[in-house]
Amino acid sequence: MANPSQPGSRAAGYPPRTAGPRTDGDRPRLPTLEDVARLAGVSRATVSRVINGVRNVDPDLHAVVWSAVDATGYVPNRAARSLVTRRAGTIALVVSDSHDHDDDPFFSRFLADPFFGRAVGGAMSVLGATTIQLALHLVGNEQARARLVGDLRQGQADGVLLLSLHPDDTLPARLVEAAIPVVMVGRPARRHTSISYVDVANELGAALAVDHLLARGCRQVALIGGLADTPASQDRSTGFRQAMARRGRTRSPYEAGDFTRDSGEAAMRRLLDRHPEVDGVFVANDLMAQGALNAVRAAGRRVPEDVAVVGFDDSSAAQAAQPPLTTVRQPLEDMAAEATRMLLARVDDPELTSSSTIFDPLLVVRAST
C-alpha cells in the first residue's frame, strides 16, 4: 500500500512545476537535490535529512523542503537512499491468522472487516507525514510466516505492525528472535513474549455494556463471544462475567461465534431457541452484533423493546446496522497510530525495552438499546 504523496502546497514565491524535465541545451536534465536546496533556501544536507526521514528536523523546514520538492519536480531515488540510510523506507502491516489465503486471492475476508481498514487508517495518519511506505502482508500458514521473516531479515521492511489473530501464532516470537522491530495492535496471546503492544481495556468495555443493559431494565442478559482462544474474546468474556457477578448474576446464557456476521446471526438464533427469555445481549464485536440484530428481527422480536443489543468496536458496521447499534468504542485509529509511533521509535533505537499502552473504551449509545 503506497504512502500518499508528501505535503505539496507550493510556498509563496515558488515557481510552478513545469510539465517536463528542464534542459541544458538540447539535453534533458532532471531536478537535483541541489535544485531543491537552492529553492528552499537551505543546505543540501538539510534537504537530505528531510527526504531520508530523519525525525528531528524542524517542522517548518520540513514543510519548506517538501514544497520545494514539489515545485521542482524532484523525485527521490529510493534505492540510493536505502544504500545511505540502510533502511527500506517501508513498514510492514502484517495480519497473521489461521486462514489460508491461497483460497481467497482477493482477501475478501480481510477487506470485509472494518477493523482492518481502521488500523490502516491509523497507521497512515502517522506515516503520511513521512517518506515511509506501508506494505500489507496477510499470512495464514507456517510456510508464509517463515518466508515473511526471511524477507524481513533481508531488509525488505524496517519494522512490523502486527495483528495476530490466533493464540498459537508463532510469528510474534519469530520476529522477536530475529531482532526485527515489531509492535502489536492487540495484546499478545502469550504473555511471556517480549513484545511491545497497544490494546484497549477489553474487560472494562464489557463491564460498560453489562452495566448499561442492566440499567435499562434487562432481566436476562446473554453473551455472544468471539473465538474463545483469542485474547480480545477472552478479556471481553471475563469482563462480562465479572460485571454480571458483581450484580449477583452468576449464570448467564452464552453462545460462541467467530467474529463474522454470519456467526453472530447463528449464535443469536441458538440463544433465542434455547433461552427465549433473553432480553439483552452483549456481543463481542460489531459484525456479530449486526448478525444478531438480523436474527432477532427474523424471530419476530423488536429491538430494543424485546431484545436490547450492545456490540463492541464502534466500526462502520455499528452505524450501518438497523437499528443503529449501541456499542463499546475502542479507539482503533488512535491505537494503530500510537503503535506506529512506538514502532518508529524502535526502528530508531533497537535497544528500547518492550512497552505497552492501554486505551480506555467508551460506550456509544444508539437505537439498539
Side-chain angles (χ1 to χ4, degrees), residues 31-332:
T32 66
L33 210 63
E34 287 76 11
D35 295 327
V36 177
R38 188 180 306 112
L39 189 56
V42 299
S43 69
R44 185 184 187 281
T46 296
V47 174
S48 178
R49 284 159 54 104
V50 170
I51 290 175
N52 287 328
V54 176
R55 297 203 295 151
N56 60 349
V57 177
D58 181 271
D60 292 336
L61 283 180
H62 191 279
V64 168
V65 168
W66 279 114
S67 292
V69 167
D70 182 58
T72 60
Y74 174 73
V75 178
N77 186 323
R78 291 180 60 84
R81 186 166 71 228
S82 295
L83 290 174
V84 174
T85 63
R86 297 184 180 275
R87 293 186 182 174
T90 299
I91 292 298
L93 175 62
V94 178
V95 179
S96 180
D97 62 10
S98 57
H99 181 75
D100 193 340
H101 298 282
D102 290 341
D103 62 1
D104 185 17
F106 298 106
F107 305 139
S108 57
R109 180 173 178 269
F110 172 87
L111 296 173
D113 193 332
F115 179 94
F116 300 110
R118 293 176 64 198
V120 171
M124 289 308 305
S125 72
V126 175
L127 297 181
T130 75
T131 61
I132 299 171
Q133 298 191 13
L134 188 69
L136 174 63
H137 297 265
L138 278 71
V139 292
N141 56 55
E142 288 305 299
Q143 182 181 5
R145 291 183 187 93
R147 185 168 58 247
L148 175 66
V149 172
D151 290 344
L152 294 170
R153 283 180 182 272
Q154 296 299 315
Q156 289 197 7
D158 299 316
V160 173
L161 287 174
L162 177 60
L163 285 74
S164 178
L165 305 181
H166 66 106
D168 297 324
D169 191 357
T170 62
L171 187 57
R174 285 176 184 247
L175 293 171
V176 171
E177 290 167 4
I180 295 167
V182 56
V183 176
M184 290 185 65
V185 179
R187 175 173 65 81
R190 300 179 180 180
R191 292 182 182 269
H192 63 274
T193 300
S194 177
I195 194 166
S196 294
Y197 67 92
V198 301
D199 203 0
V200 68
N202 285 294
E203 293 184 11
L204 174 59
L208 292 175
V210 168
D211 290 346
H212 177 67
L213 288 168
L214 294 178
R216 76 175 304 278
C218 293
R219 292 167 294 180
Q220 181 63 275
V221 178
L223 168 66
I224 296 178
L227 295 166
D229 52 4
T230 60
S233 185
Q234 291 170 350
D235 291 347
R236 292 170 196 178
S237 295
T238 297
F240 172 87
R241 292 189 175 94
Q242 290 178 343
M244 292 291 286
R246 286 195 293 269
R247 300 293 193 93
R249 316 286 184 92
T250 57
R251 297 179 65 86
S252 299
Y254 167 80
E255 293 291 339
D258 64 5
F259 289 128
T260 63
R261 183 183 292 107
D262 288 347
S263 74
E265 186 166 353
M268 190 71 230
R269 285 199 302 267
R270 293 194 300 270
L271 273 179
L272 294 176
D273 287 342
R274 297 169 183 175
H275 304 278
E277 72 280 7
V278 163
D279 59 357
V281 185
F282 169 54
V283 190
N285 82 333
D286 289 345
L287 276 180
M288 290 196 302
Q290 198 173 41
L293 291 173
N294 294 339
V296 172
R297 288 196 302 271
R301 304 202 187 184
R302 300 168 299 166
V303 178
E305 293 84 358
D306 300 322
V307 182
V309 180
V310 179
F312 200 114
D313 284 336
D314 197 24
S315 65
S316 57
Q319 300 173 45
Q322 291 299 322
L325 182 66
T326 293
T327 187
V328 177
R329 183 174 195 275
Q330 62 169 331
L332 186 57

